[in-house]
Amino acid sequence: MTKDVWLKRVALVVLMTILTAISSATWAEENDSAVKALSLRNIMQELSNSMQIVIDAIYREDWEQVAGTAPQIANHPQPPIAEKMRILGFAGSNVSNFKSFDKQTHQAAKELEEIAMRKDGKGVIAQFATLQKSCLACHQSFRKTFKEHFYGK
Protein backbone atom coordinates (compact mmCIF):
# COMPACT_ATOMS: atom_id res chain seq x y z
CA MET A 1 0.00 0.00 0.00
CA THR A 2 1.37 3.42 -0.95
CA LYS A 3 1.75 6.21 1.54
CA ASP A 4 -0.89 8.27 -0.30
CA VAL A 5 -3.49 5.47 -0.09
CA TRP A 6 -2.65 4.90 3.57
CA LEU A 7 -3.11 8.62 4.39
CA LYS A 8 -6.47 8.67 2.63
CA ARG A 9 -7.63 5.64 4.64
CA VAL A 10 -6.50 7.21 7.90
CA ALA A 11 -8.30 10.44 7.01
CA LEU A 12 -11.46 8.48 6.19
CA VAL A 13 -11.33 6.63 9.52
CA VAL A 14 -10.84 9.88 11.43
CA LEU A 15 -13.75 11.51 9.57
CA MET A 16 -16.03 8.54 10.21
CA THR A 17 -15.10 8.54 13.91
CA ILE A 18 -15.98 12.22 14.21
CA LEU A 19 -19.27 11.80 12.35
CA THR A 20 -20.21 8.80 14.49
CA ALA A 21 -19.48 10.71 17.69
CA ILE A 22 -21.57 13.67 16.54
CA SER A 23 -24.48 11.54 15.39
CA SER A 24 -24.40 9.56 18.64
CA ALA A 25 -24.50 12.73 20.68
CA THR A 26 -27.32 14.08 18.53
CA TRP A 27 -29.27 10.81 18.85
CA ALA A 28 -28.85 10.85 22.62
CA GLU A 29 -30.10 14.44 22.82
CA GLU A 30 -33.04 13.77 20.51
CA ASN A 31 -34.08 10.68 22.45
CA ASP A 32 -33.89 12.29 25.87
CA SER A 33 -37.32 12.20 27.49
CA ALA A 34 -37.33 15.94 28.11
CA VAL A 35 -36.56 18.38 25.32
CA LYS A 36 -33.31 20.04 26.28
CA ALA A 37 -32.87 23.71 25.50
CA LEU A 38 -30.08 24.48 23.08
CA SER A 39 -27.23 26.72 24.19
CA LEU A 40 -28.42 29.11 21.50
CA ARG A 41 -31.50 29.83 23.62
CA ASN A 42 -29.28 31.16 26.43
CA ILE A 43 -27.19 33.12 23.95
CA MET A 44 -30.34 34.73 22.53
CA GLN A 45 -31.52 35.59 26.05
CA GLU A 46 -28.18 37.25 26.79
CA LEU A 47 -28.47 39.20 23.53
CA SER A 48 -31.98 40.29 24.50
CA ASN A 49 -30.68 41.49 27.88
CA SER A 50 -27.87 43.42 26.17
CA MET A 51 -30.35 45.02 23.76
CA GLN A 52 -32.49 46.12 26.73
CA ILE A 53 -29.43 47.66 28.40
CA VAL A 54 -28.72 49.61 25.19
CA ILE A 55 -32.33 50.82 24.99
CA ASP A 56 -32.16 52.06 28.58
CA ALA A 57 -28.76 53.68 27.97
CA ILE A 58 -30.05 55.47 24.85
CA TYR A 59 -33.01 56.78 26.85
CA ARG A 60 -30.60 58.16 29.47
CA GLU A 61 -28.13 59.36 26.79
CA ASP A 62 -25.46 57.23 28.45
CA TRP A 63 -23.23 56.80 25.42
CA GLU A 64 -20.49 55.11 27.46
CA GLN A 65 -22.97 52.37 28.44
CA VAL A 66 -24.05 51.96 24.82
CA ALA A 67 -20.41 51.75 23.70
CA GLY A 68 -19.63 49.29 26.49
CA THR A 69 -22.59 47.00 25.76
CA ALA A 70 -22.40 46.97 21.95
CA PRO A 71 -19.32 44.67 21.89
CA GLN A 72 -21.25 42.11 23.97
CA ILE A 73 -23.78 42.01 21.13
CA ALA A 74 -21.17 42.05 18.36
CA ASN A 75 -19.05 39.33 19.94
CA HIS A 76 -21.79 37.16 21.40
CA PRO A 77 -20.80 33.61 22.34
CA GLN A 78 -21.18 30.82 19.81
CA PRO A 79 -22.93 27.53 20.54
CA PRO A 80 -20.79 24.43 21.07
CA ILE A 81 -19.55 22.92 17.79
CA ALA A 82 -21.91 19.90 17.80
CA GLU A 83 -24.89 22.20 18.38
CA LYS A 84 -23.65 24.63 15.75
CA MET A 85 -23.47 21.79 13.21
CA ARG A 86 -27.06 20.78 14.06
CA ILE A 87 -28.21 24.38 13.60
CA LEU A 88 -26.38 24.77 10.29
CA GLY A 89 -27.82 21.43 9.19
CA PHE A 90 -31.28 22.75 10.04
CA ALA A 91 -30.62 25.90 8.00
CA GLY A 92 -29.77 23.66 5.03
CA SER A 93 -29.81 25.53 1.75
CA ASN A 94 -30.49 28.76 3.68
CA VAL A 95 -27.24 28.52 5.64
CA SER A 96 -25.72 31.45 3.76
CA ASN A 97 -28.69 33.64 4.75
CA PHE A 98 -28.38 32.47 8.36
CA LYS A 99 -24.67 33.31 8.45
CA SER A 100 -25.29 36.61 6.67
CA PHE A 101 -27.79 37.70 9.32
CA ASP A 102 -25.25 36.94 12.05
CA LYS A 103 -22.58 38.90 10.18
CA GLN A 104 -24.95 41.86 9.69
CA THR A 105 -25.76 41.87 13.41
CA HIS A 106 -22.07 41.72 14.32
CA GLN A 107 -21.24 44.60 11.98
CA ALA A 108 -24.19 46.74 13.09
CA ALA A 109 -23.22 46.31 16.76
CA LYS A 110 -19.57 47.21 16.04
CA GLU A 111 -20.71 50.37 14.25
CA LEU A 112 -23.05 51.15 17.15
CA GLU A 113 -20.06 51.07 19.50
CA GLU A 114 -18.06 53.44 17.27
CA ILE A 115 -20.92 55.92 16.96
CA ALA A 116 -21.63 55.83 20.71
CA MET A 117 -17.97 56.57 21.41
CA ARG A 118 -18.43 59.79 19.40
CA LYS A 119 -21.50 60.59 21.57
CA ASP A 120 -23.61 61.04 18.45
CA GLY A 121 -27.11 60.50 19.86
CA LYS A 122 -28.98 60.65 16.54
CA GLY A 123 -26.39 58.37 14.96
CA VAL A 124 -26.71 55.90 17.85
CA ILE A 125 -30.49 55.79 17.46
CA ALA A 126 -30.23 55.27 13.70
CA GLN A 127 -27.59 52.56 14.09
CA PHE A 128 -29.56 50.82 16.83
CA ALA A 129 -32.50 50.70 14.42
CA THR A 130 -30.20 49.03 11.86
CA LEU A 131 -29.14 46.51 14.51
CA GLN A 132 -32.75 45.77 15.43
CA LYS A 133 -33.66 45.32 11.76
CA SER A 134 -30.91 42.73 11.32
CA CYS A 135 -32.18 40.82 14.37
CA LEU A 136 -35.78 41.05 13.17
CA ALA A 137 -34.92 39.85 9.67
CA CYS A 138 -33.24 36.73 11.06
CA HIS A 139 -36.05 36.05 13.51
CA GLN A 140 -38.70 36.43 10.82
CA SER A 141 -36.79 34.10 8.53
CA PHE A 142 -35.87 31.37 11.01
CA ARG A 143 -37.45 31.58 14.48
CA LYS A 144 -40.77 29.82 13.84
CA THR A 145 -39.33 26.89 11.90
CA PHE A 146 -36.35 26.70 14.27
CA LYS A 147 -38.62 26.31 17.29
CA GLU A 148 -40.75 23.73 15.48
CA HIS A 149 -37.69 21.77 14.42
CA PHE A 150 -35.81 21.74 17.72
CA TYR A 151 -38.61 22.07 20.27
CA GLY A 152 -41.70 20.78 18.49
CA LYS A 153 -43.45 24.10 19.08
Side-chain angles (χ1 to χ4, degrees):
M1 177 177 352
T2 68
K3 184 177 180 179
D4 189 42
V5 171
W6 183 83
L7 286 174
K8 286 179 182 178
R9 285 186 180 176
V10 168
L12 182 61
V13 169
V14 169
L15 178 62
M16 293 306 292
T17 302
I18 292 169
L19 290 175
T20 301
I22 291 169
S23 65
S24 296
T26 301
W27 181 88
E29 287 176 14
E30 289 172 351
N31 289 297
D32 194 2
S33 60
V35 177
K36 220 171 163 181
L38 297 174
S39 297
L40 185 61
R41 180 177 275 180
N42 292 333
I43 293 167
M44 287 292 148
Q45 186 59 52
E46 289 174 22
L47 283 168
S48 176
N49 293 342
S50 294
M51 295 289 279
Q52 290 299 319
I53 290 168
V54 170
I55 290 168
D56 181 61
I58 289 171
Y59 177 75
R60 292 180 292 106
E61 298 180 51
D62 184 349
W63 311 126
E64 288 179 17
Q65 180 69 61
V66 173
T69 306
Q72 296 170 17
I73 298 167
N75 304 313
H76 63 81
Q78 297 291 313
I81 190 69
E83 181 176 314
K84 196 172 195 176
M85 291 179 72
R86 287 178 62 203
I87 293 167
L88 295 176
F90 153 77
S93 62
N94 293 317
V95 74
S96 62
N97 289 341
F98 190 80
K99 288 181 173 186
S100 176
F101 288 133
D102 188 54
K103 185 176 180 180
Q104 289 171 23
T105 300
H106 172 80
Q107 188 60 40
K110 282 182 65 172
E111 290 175 20
L112 178 64
E113 176 188 17
E114 293 167 9
I115 295 167
M117 289 171 69
R118 294 193 308 262
K119 300 180 184 198
D120 175 359
K122 288 181 181 181
V124 164
I125 291 169
Q127 188 59 32
F128 187 70
T130 299
L131 174 59
Q132 287 181 308
K133 288 175 189 174
S134 69
C135 293
L136 180 63
C138 185
H139 294 171
Q140 288 182 333
S141 296
F142 292 101
R143 185 186 304 185
K144 184 176 187 276
T145 55
F146 184 92
K147 283 182 164 182
E148 289 169 354
H149 180 82
F150 288 104
Y151 299 113
K153 296 179 182 179

